[in-house]
Amino acid sequence: MTSTIAPEGRRLLRVEARNAQTPIERKPTWLRTRAVVSETYEEVRGMVRAKKLHTVCAEANCPNVYECWNDREASFLIGGEMCTRRCDFCDIATGRPTTYDEDEPRRVAASVAEMRLRYATVTGVARDDRPDGGAWLYAEVARQIHAQLPGCGVELLVPDFRGNRDALEEVFSSRPEVFAHNLETVPRIFHRIRPAFSYERSLSVLEQASDAGLLTKSNLILGMGETRQETEDAIHALVGHKVDILTITQYMRPSKLHHPIDRWVKPQEFVELAAFAQQEGIPAVMSGPMVRSSYRSGLLWSRAMKAKGRPIPAQMAALAQEGTARQEAASLIARGLAGDEPTDVTPRA
């Protein structure tokens, strides 16, 4: 620990004090987005405000909320506000876990039904204080959503549960449309970025989900110090562990206490990596600087289903209609945001 004090009054960790020595970086022009407000978006937003529903989309001020809500997709955070692990890129607070709320699955499902969503992504904090790591909570949310709103797709974005097979089986038993667990980065820098996780264990968790008959999904973040070859090697590893869906995104530093940005990755490189991943055998890939792991999840699910030759249930057919995906790198390039400016990481003015 150091004697430096964080804004909330606690002492900084050594890694945070080291990170703080690097000023916040100025974003390039292709990382700007434009709000496109539709009638459906206004309807969903009005419902969220009137019913005081809680979504990651609104509470984290996600810039992609306009697109996702327009297609009736949304993300929810469960398990409390404090995570028992600390990742150097993540903005969720680490600390003593809050109360474990066994009624939360019912309330989240009620929110999903109120919003009349077509696809819901459910993620949460790590709960290493629980014997099952919080696995029941994730599984029960999926079961409740399927019960309260039949035909709504459910994606569970879960931690690794420290590889606990019983915990994983609990989540598998809820049969989400997609089982997601994010690898995030490459082996060389993995321990610094995700000290409480294991690269090999994360890959194993994904393969176990695939072997249980679930569609699997993962995410890679660029700009934290990895090389292009290391990224391609990580994609190879995900292919080898039977991942069906992959998102690739640019790291954006939440605060000066977080890991500094190593580089800004141009849209063209995202296009190339998406093509590489699909050539290597990942059926559905979405890649772009502002793509996030939950961005257009329903659309990605439908792409994976079609690529694997699996029938899409009639009540979920609307998800198979190609909607907007403005943050895909190919879309950015088509709109003239090719990233022609220099990509040196410079401090924000």
Side-chain angles (χ1 to χ4, degrees):
M1 302 290 287
T2 77
S3 59
T4 308
I5 305 300
E8 61 270 29
R10 65 174 175 83
R11 288 188 174 185
L12 295 185
L13 301 174
R14 287 193 182 92
V15 66
E16 292 175 321
R18 182 175 67 239
N19 290 342
Q21 294 173 11
T22 303
I24 292 291
E25 302 83 358
R26 183 189 299 113
K27 294 181 179 67
T29 55
W30 64 83
L31 285 173
R32 298 170 187 166
T33 189
R34 181 169 60 91
V36 179
V37 179
S38 67
E39 185 176 328
T40 304
Y41 166 81
E42 291 279 24
E43 178 190 344
V44 173
R45 184 179 67 169
M47 200 178 305
V48 167
R49 289 180 172 179
K51 301 288 186 179
K52 297 183 179 179
L53 307 178
H54 298 289
T55 67
V56 176
C57 318
E59 292 168 32
N61 295 313
C62 178
N64 300 326
V65 65
Y66 304 96
E67 284 187 74
C68 295
W69 283 9
N70 183 56
D71 276 3
R72 295 193 181 277
E73 299 180 16
S75 299
F76 299 82
L77 182 75
I78 64 172
E81 299 175 351
M82 290 289 180
C83 187
T84 55
R85 305 187 191 182
R86 184 192 180 278
C87 294
D88 205 23
F89 64 89
C90 183
D91 200 24
I92 293 177
T94 301
R96 187 182 300 276
T98 51
T99 303
Y100 188 76
D101 184 357
E102 295 188 355
D103 189 49
E104 188 173 30
R106 181 196 61 79
R107 294 200 313 276
V108 170
S111 294
V112 170
E114 289 272 10
M115 295 170 70
R116 301 199 305 276
L117 296 182
R118 298 192 296 196
Y119 198 92
T121 299
V122 179
T123 188
V125 298
R127 291 296 304 241
D128 294 317
D129 59 309
R130 306 291 302 181
D132 70 346
W136 175 86
L137 206 65
Y138 286 95
E140 186 62 14
V141 171
R143 288 189 284 259
Q144 290 274 353
I145 292 174
H146 283 149
Q148 292 195 40
L149 190 62
C152 178
V154 179
E155 179 167 311
L156 297 181
L157 173 55
V158 303
D160 60 9
F161 306 115
R162 298 200 181 280
N164 182 325
R165 181 65 190 185
D166 290 340
L168 289 168
E169 289 285 359
E170 174 71 23
V171 176
F172 299 162
S173 72
S174 69
R175 310 311 296 176
E177 273 63 35
V178 171
F179 175 97
H181 174 68
N182 289 343
L183 189 62
E184 309 291 28
T185 193
V186 303
R188 180 175 54 82
I189 60 175
F190 194 93
H191 181 69
R192 177 176 177 184
I193 302 298
R194 310 200 81 194
F197 288 83
S198 158
Y199 183 83
E200 292 299 333
R201 187 167 63 207
S202 287
L203 290 172
S204 173
V205 163
L206 287 160
E207 185 164 20
Q208 290 177 65
S210 179
D211 290 342
L214 297 173
L215 277 181
T216 59
K217 178 179 179 181
S218 197
N219 181 67
L220 288 172
I221 305 172
L222 306 185
M224 294 195 293
E226 75 295 326
T227 66
R228 172 68 174 264
Q229 184 59 56
E230 287 174 326
T231 300
E232 293 184 0
D233 290 345
I235 292 171
H236 272 300
L238 291 167
V239 171
H241 288 78
K242 308 176 185 178
V243 168
D244 301 300
I245 303 170
L246 175 64
T247 51
I248 308 174
T249 186
Q250 167 74 55
Y251 172 53
M252 302 233 262
R253 192 179 180 189
S255 79
K256 68 178 183 180
L257 303 185
H258 292 81
H259 188 73
I261 292 170
D262 177 71
R263 68 186 180 114
W264 297 114
V265 182
K266 290 188 175 184
Q268 183 57 41
E269 184 170 344
F270 282 101
V271 171
E272 293 166 2
L273 286 169
F276 175 82
Q278 289 179 308
Q279 289 165 6
E280 291 300 302
I282 296 183
V285 183
M286 195 168 285
S287 177
M290 291 186 67
V291 166
R292 293 296 175 261
S293 61
S294 59
Y295 173 66
R296 305 314 321 279
S297 294
L299 178 60
L300 262 179
W301 167 80
S302 71
R303 287 181 182 177
M305 291 287 283
K306 287 187 283 189
K308 293 175 73 69
R310 296 186 183 182
I312 294 176
Q315 66 269 34
M316 299 178 72
L319 290 168
Q321 299 173 4
E322 285 288 328
T324 60
R326 290 175 57 83
Q327 301 302 347
E328 280 194 281
S331 177
L332 296 181
I333 292 172
R335 301 201 310 272
L337 299 173
D340 295 327
E341 66 190 84
T343 56
D344 291 342
V345 174
T346 56
R348 188 171 61 193

